Amino acid sequence: MKKIQMVDLKGQYEKIKNTVTNSIEEVLESSAFINGPYVKEFQADLEEYLDVKHVIPCANGTDALQIAMMGLGLEQGDEVITADFTFAATVEVIALLKLTPVLVDVEADTFNIDIEALKKAITPKTKAIVPVHLFGQCANMDAVMQVAKEHNLYVIEDTAQAIGADYTFLDGSKKKAGTIGHVGTTSFFPSKNLGCYGDGGAIFTNDDDLAHIIRGMVNHGMYKRYYHDVIGVNSRLDSIQAAVLKAKLPYLDAYCDARREAAAYYTNAFSSNSNIVTPAVSEFSTHVFHQYTIQITNGKRDTLHKHLLDNGIPNAIYYPVQLHKQKAYQDERYNEEDFTITNQLVETVISLPMHTELSKEQLEFITKTVLDFVG
Ligand SMILES: *Cc1c(COP(=O)(O)O)cnc(C)c1O
């Protein structure tokens, strides 16, 4: 059996090697390393795929979040609500911009922002909500958009883990993750579902004025060369990464299918075990399984983590610490009783190998090893 990887980037690369290396070579030959034709082409391809008016490429998913917040004109002291259970980038940029992060609990089954907790956290200072579509499925966007509308708030979707997911609204209409709120952001970090071979990110919006503001902001606040109208940043997707992404985008749906297939295998194997909670798939969003995350409810999570590593099965705890308990983000405003779910999840979650190249043989070995140990 081939060695099991948490994410098998090499195996995926082998299958698209010719296309990708040809594209990269073209960039090398043209020497248009910054703002070359591939950047515009990938942008247009992604706009079409997502069915969104504007994609603004940038340097990474963290920048994308920061620039989205700058573009919306959020100011010092504005409160921005996001989930307590996620990667730190989301709260990091809020804090970095001197906005006030307000962390709220998540749902036990989907790991996404809890709507009641969100409503409870709104104050007159609240300006924006950042739902994170964690592990590959959308937060409850009907409810998030409704709350935002009632309180006149911006919605910034952090789509770093859910690019390609489809959201179905209560009225039956559909949109791609990241194109529902006022602005969406994503990351093309190599291990994401659409990953490049370095760093990359993008911002999405259907708002022409906001797109214009953001296009200048990613480029030093310039709308005309060497005239700086606003404070911006330097955040670009380089041409080599754009070439890789243009080559990989046509495979994104197939990649998501491959992940779903692996997830279905896992869930089928684990579903009858009462000590394992398999990931819930909500009725309103497809799941693109950036991670396959189970909960171990008999207290054996930490020993399972070690047992799997000892048996050559990589695995990870996403996430081991609640954001409200991280040194950088703890705050006396928070009450522990408001975080019962996140407090429980950090003790029970474990993510298993998830990528596009998992074989039946590997899945069989992983599930058997987990089941034999968990009991
Ligand atoms: C990966 C990730 C980011 C940050 O993306 P980078 O490209 O690494 O900066 C932000 N939010 C979430 C939820 C992520 O998973």
Side-chain angles (χ1 to χ4, degrees):
M1 184 174 65
K2 208 177 146 196
K3 187 169 179 286
I4 300 172
Q5 310 278 346
M6 191 69 186
V7 182
D8 187 358
L9 295 177
K10 183 80 193 297
Q12 192 188 61
Y13 166 66
E14 294 294 342
K15 294 181 181 165
I16 53 168
K17 196 170 178 166
N18 283 342
T19 328
V20 171
T21 47
N22 285 344
S23 303
I24 292 177
E25 215 175 293
E26 245 180 73
V27 177
L28 298 180
E29 290 297 332
S30 76
S31 303
F33 299 116
I34 298 291
N35 278 330
Y38 270 121
V39 180
K40 275 263 171 329
E41 287 171 29
F42 169 63
Q43 176 189 315
D45 289 356
L46 190 58
E47 282 166 352
E48 192 187 327
Y49 175 83
L50 294 172
D51 192 19
V52 71
K53 273 172 97 173
H54 306 281
V55 165
I56 301 116
C58 66
N60 57 68
T62 310
D63 275 7
L65 282 162
Q66 179 182 329
I67 296 157
M69 289 178 204
M70 289 166 62
L72 290 171
L74 301 184
E75 288 176 355
Q76 182 160 358
D78 288 349
E79 292 179 2
V80 180
I81 302 174
T82 194
D84 190 36
F85 187 66
T86 181
F87 181 57
T90 323
V91 67
E92 178 179 53
V93 301
I94 297 171
L96 204 60
L97 292 173
K98 301 269 191 284
L99 311 173
T100 305
V102 177
L103 296 166
V104 300
D105 212 358
V106 296
E107 300 175 340
D109 54 352
T110 65
F111 312 116
N112 278 326
I113 195 162
D114 182 274
I115 301 303
E116 291 313 309
L118 162 64
K119 285 182 186 165
K120 207 179 132 194
I122 290 171
T123 76
K125 288 186 176 166
T126 309
K127 287 285 151 47
I129 310 167
V130 187
V132 181
H133 304 314
L134 202 72
F135 300 153
Q137 75 180 326
C138 295
N140 182 346
M141 292 304 291
D142 280 286
V144 168
M145 296 310 289
Q146 181 62 31
V147 171
K149 198 172 159 200
E150 275 165 25
H151 297 271
N152 201 20
L153 309 174
Y154 291 119
V155 174
I156 304 159
E157 296 175 73
D158 183 343
T159 318
Q161 300 190 3
I163 193 155
D166 291 301
Y167 187 88
T168 305
F169 292 89
L170 291 169
D171 68 6
S173 61
K174 284 181 202 275
K175 279 187 183 172
K176 286 280 182 199
T179 68
I180 301 163
H182 300 88
V183 55
T185 66
T186 202
S187 162
F188 304 121
F189 186 79
S191 65
K192 307 286 183 185
N193 288 28
L194 179 61
C196 57
Y197 297 163
D199 273 308
I203 303 155
F204 325 131
T205 186
N206 282 307
D207 180 329
D208 296 339
D209 295 334
L210 182 60
H212 173 75
I213 291 169
I214 289 175
R215 275 191 214 290
M217 272 182 176
V218 298
N219 189 23
H220 301 290
M222 286 193 288
Y223 297 89
K224 187 174 152 191
R225 211 157 195 202
Y226 304 123
Y227 290 77
H228 303 271
D229 294 358
V230 295
I231 299 174
V233 293
N234 171 21
S235 188
R236 292 184 280 243
L237 180 71
D238 70 68
S239 304
I240 289 183
Q241 301 312 329
V244 171
L245 289 164
K246 182 178 159 67
K248 286 183 75 178
L249 180 58
Y251 298 95
L252 178 58
D253 285 341
Y255 288 160
C256 292
D257 285 342
R259 287 169 176 273
R260 272 193 283 264
E261 228 171 90
Y265 187 100
Y266 279 137
T267 294
N268 186 46
F270 296 144
S271 58
S272 56
N273 188 299
S274 59
N275 298 318
I276 301 175
V277 180
T278 56
V281 180
S282 63
E283 69 271 26
F284 44 71
S285 174
T286 59
H287 203 318
V288 295
F289 288 99
H290 175 60
Q291 299 296 342
Y292 185 86
T293 304
I294 53 175
Q295 297 168 62
I296 304 296
T297 55
N298 63 353
K300 284 189 167 181
R301 194 274 309 267
D302 290 339
T303 46
L304 174 67
H305 169 64
K306 188 173 177 306
H307 178 74
L308 293 179
L309 291 180
D310 291 345
N311 283 276
I313 301 173
N315 67 94
I317 310 299
Y318 299 128
Y319 295 92
V321 182
Q322 310 86 315
L323 289 176
H324 83 274
K325 286 198 174 166
Q326 295 281 4
K327 273 191 201 154
Y329 306 113
Q330 58 195 6
D331 194 308
E332 55 199 21
R333 288 173 296 138
Y334 296 127
N335 296 315
E336 283 315 304
E337 57 267 31
D338 291 331
F339 298 99
T340 50
I341 304 300
T342 307
N343 288 347
Q344 175 197 317
L345 291 177
V346 295
E347 305 288 334
T348 57
V349 288
I350 183 165
S351 299
L352 299 176
M354 176 47 75
H355 53 78
T356 57
E357 312 301 316
L358 282 162
S359 68
K360 277 266 159 12
E361 192 188 12
Q362 291 176 324
L363 289 164
E364 206 175 288
F365 177 67
I366 298 165
T367 49
K368 185 173 181 320
T369 311
V370 170
L371 288 167
D372 284 350
F373 185 82
V374 172

